[in-house]
Amino acid sequence: DAGVTQSPTHLIKTRGQHVTLRCSPISGHKSVSWYQQVLGQGPQFIFQYYEKEERGRGNFPDRFSARQFPNYSSELNVNALLLGDSALYLCASSFFSGDNEQFFGPGTRLTVL
Amino acid sequence: GQQLNQSPQSMFIQEGEDVSMNCTSSSIFNTWLWYKQDPGEGPVLLIALYKAGELTSNGRLTAQFGITRKDSFLNISASIPSDVGIYFCAGPTDSNYQLIWGAGTKLIIKP
């Protein structure tokens, strides 16, 4: 069975640009969560989506947005990129919202210059 | 807010040694999760704990849910080179929609 997949694997952008990151959950999982991981730290929660609805949002500015599609895949969008947005963006899937056993993809490494 | 504190921050061990690390919080958690992250990859779930006092094993790994529900411990027996990586503890917040994470314990095996 395929695990969580994310694309692209690496991305380089400049300040002010926007970026779209994509995630496909494990087959049968209906919930997708997004995390930001800065080097040397644990992941920080950004969003959780379940059945196409936002179920939770972390302490991130409105420049961050996301959505979930009918096939349960998800996109994370970040506008007006700042240098501080450089990080590994992780997607995790689980069967349902509130299911604490989350399974992670390999992440997208975003570098903002 | 809820925070998780992991210790030690890093560990240098010899192959074959046993390893112990822990995670503490000032808040009560109803679930404790232990993940391992290798360089350039996403975290992998190792063990999930759901009940105070619970002791759960996964091969050479054993984790315990502290009785106070404010701490958890992870032990690795007879370490091998592939155990190298960063070990994170995580737990759900009160809203249950998000996980909060410790800063990780980096395991390094001395040559």
Side-chain angles (χ1 to χ4, degrees):
Chain A
D1 283 345
V4 177
T5 59
Q6 292 186 243
S7 63
T9 54
H10 295 84
L11 204 51
I12 299 176
K13 292 285 188 178
T14 56
R15 282 178 296 175
Q17 287 188 312
H18 70 273
V19 68
T20 298
L21 311 180
R22 296 178 176 83
C23 171
S24 292
I26 292 171
S27 178
H29 285 193
K30 297 183 178 181
S31 181
V32 170
S33 298
W34 287 95
Y35 292 83
Q36 180 195 67
Q37 187 177 25
V38 174
L39 200 62
Q41 297 181 19
Q44 295 289 318
F45 173 77
I46 308 175
F47 287 110
Q48 185 183 91
Y49 275 77
Y50 176 67
E51 293 282 12
K52 296 177 289 180
E53 291 190 359
E54 181 183 304
R55 287 302 185 97
R57 184 186 184 113
N59 189 24
F60 280 81
D62 291 343
R63 299 184 297 107
F64 289 76
S65 64
R67 55 179 175 168
Q68 187 177 31
F69 299 99
N71 66 353
Y72 304 110
S73 66
S74 178
E75 283 183 353
L76 175 70
N77 296 285
V78 187
N79 292 325
L81 285 167
L82 303 174
L83 295 179
D85 294 331
S86 295
L88 180 68
Y89 287 85
L90 295 163
C91 172
S93 77
S94 55
F95 279 108
F96 53 86
S97 177
D99 179 1
N100 298 316
E101 293 190 25
Q102 299 181 7
F103 296 85
F104 285 79
T108 294
R109 172 69 64 187
L110 173 65
T111 302
V112 182
L113 302 176
Chain B
Q2 292 174 292
Q3 278 188 312
L4 294 178
N5 301 303
Q6 283 189 252
S7 64
Q9 190 173 23
S10 60
M11 303 181 71
F12 291 81
I13 61 167
Q14 298 275 12
E15 184 176 349
E17 285 184 354
D18 295 343
V19 173
S20 291
M21 61 188 77
N22 67 58
C23 188
T24 61
S25 173
S26 58
S27 308
I28 288 174
F29 279 80
N30 293 316
T31 300
W32 287 93
L33 305 166
W34 285 93
Y35 284 84
K36 178 177 182 258
Q37 187 173 28
D38 291 328
E41 298 184 15
V44 174
L45 181 63
L46 299 173
I47 294 177
L49 302 161
Y50 296 101
K51 189 177 176 181
E54 179 182 353
L55 190 70
T56 297
S57 293
N58 177 6
R60 293 178 297 104
L61 278 62
T62 301
Q64 184 164 21
F65 193 139
I67 290 291
T68 65
R69 295 202 283 160
K70 292 183 178 181
D71 55 12
S72 179
F73 307 88
L74 178 68
N75 297 307
I76 305 172
S77 61
S79 58
I80 59 178
S82 62
D83 292 334
V84 164
I86 303 177
Y87 292 81
F88 290 98
C89 62
T93 62
D94 294 335
S95 71
N96 220 37
Y97 293 132
Q98 60 174 288
L99 295 179
I100 63 169
W101 296 67
T105 292
K106 188 172 185 178
L107 190 62
I108 302 162
I109 293 187
K110 290 184 277 192

